[in-house]
Amino acid sequence: MSSRRNGWFAGSSNEHGDVVRAKARLVARSLTQREGIEFFETFALTPAASSFLLCGAIACELGLILCHFDAEPAFVQSRLDEDISMRLPPGCDEMSGKVARLNRNLYGLKQASMSWHNHLLTHMNSLGFEQSPADACVMKLVESGSVSIVTVVHVDDTFDAGLKARCDQFCEDLNNLVPINNLGELSWYAGCCVSSDWDAGTLTTSQQAFAEKTAARFDVRSGRTNPLLASAKIEEFDENEPVGDWPFRELVGCLIWLANQTRPDIANAVKAVARYTNRPREVHWRTAVGILEYVLVRVI
């Protein structure tokens, strides 16, 4: 159920990570769902970061464009198989406070993501798309013996590499089955700013906006030109030194996200400090901060 107090709010972001449109959604209290009665399977597939990068590389190599399509609202389009009821919150006029049976999935339900994913893939299969054996979230459309569109499915977003006219036609065909929006050329994906120069055959992804917000969150300032200094001896520390109260795990989690998505240059350094997330000492905290400082200085 949703209100400003017990619901949650979402928003649409632009390529700089700024919220450009706020959203309010009615959500269900999934904590009250009983496994085996009101939900069974809950997993939903998401693509690997390498799949998106490979799709972009294919587009650059073949002179294709990357189109971005978004389904909104997504989860409520898929039907609900389980018998689930909810008490309607205030604001539903004469239905407020009454108990209603859900016919479709609702944001917050444990099985909503999986149901939506299966719903979307069913309709894409009906249009002739085939799943990749390497990544089930990557689909291809073969026409006249050649691949005309490569699609990456990420929850309610799809990214298509193909000729613009064919991608627009795909949007129209899928829109007849699943209401989607054509957002034009891809510029923002999973917190990554995407910019392209098709004449030069290049595609650039950046998480600088995320890095800067992370730095502001942990009060970190730039000033390092190497992610892990040779003088840093993170394996040498006093075992009796008390564990600090730094938000070490949160910082390492942000660094792992950066390393996996757009910053492979910090992967080894992050792997080194991530070993100490259980009981970090001051040397480990300072090293993790230093990695973030390097990210702010070295923009790639």
Side-chain angles (χ1 to χ4, degrees), residues 110-186:
K110 294 182 181 295
Q111 65 269 51
S113 295
M114 185 192 68
S115 298
W116 157 250
H117 184 81
N118 294 337
H119 176 75
L120 177 61
L121 262 59
T122 297
H123 289 302
M124 292 193 65
N125 287 332
S126 69
L127 295 177
F129 280 83
E130 304 172 6
Q131 285 180 290
S132 167
D135 189 333
C137 289
V138 177
M139 307 189 73
K140 64 180 180 180
L141 178 63
V142 179
E143 296 176 316
S144 301
S146 61
V147 178
S148 60
I149 297 179
V150 176
T151 299
V152 179
V153 178
H154 188 120
V155 190
D156 57 347
D157 291 290
T158 63
F159 314 103
D160 299 72
L163 297 175
K164 186 178 187 308
R166 188 61 187 89
C167 290
D168 290 341
Q169 182 60 49
F170 160 70
C171 179
E172 293 181 12
D173 295 339
L174 184 60
N175 195 48
N176 293 327
L177 304 172
V178 180
I180 61 173
N181 300 319
N182 188 342
L183 302 181
E185 191 170 328
L186 179 64

Side-chain angles (χ1 to χ4, degrees), residues 68-129:
H68 185 188
F69 305 112
D70 169 68
E72 184 182 348
F75 290 0
V76 296
Q77 295 185 31
S78 57
R79 298 198 64 83
L80 185 63
D81 297 326
E82 294 79 14
D83 187 4
I84 298 180
S85 301
M86 67 175 292
R87 188 178 301 279
L88 298 179
C92 297
D93 299 328
E94 68 276 1
M95 296 294 293
S96 298
K98 294 186 177 180
V99 176
R101 182 179 183 274
L102 298 178
N103 292 323
R104 294 181 178 271
N105 277 285
L106 197 63
Y107 289 90
L109 292 178
K110 294 182 181 295
Q111 65 269 51
S113 295
M114 185 192 68
S115 298
W116 157 250
H117 184 81
N118 294 337
H119 176 75
L120 177 61
L121 262 59
T122 297
H123 289 302
M124 292 193 65
N125 287 332
S126 69
L127 295 177
F129 280 83

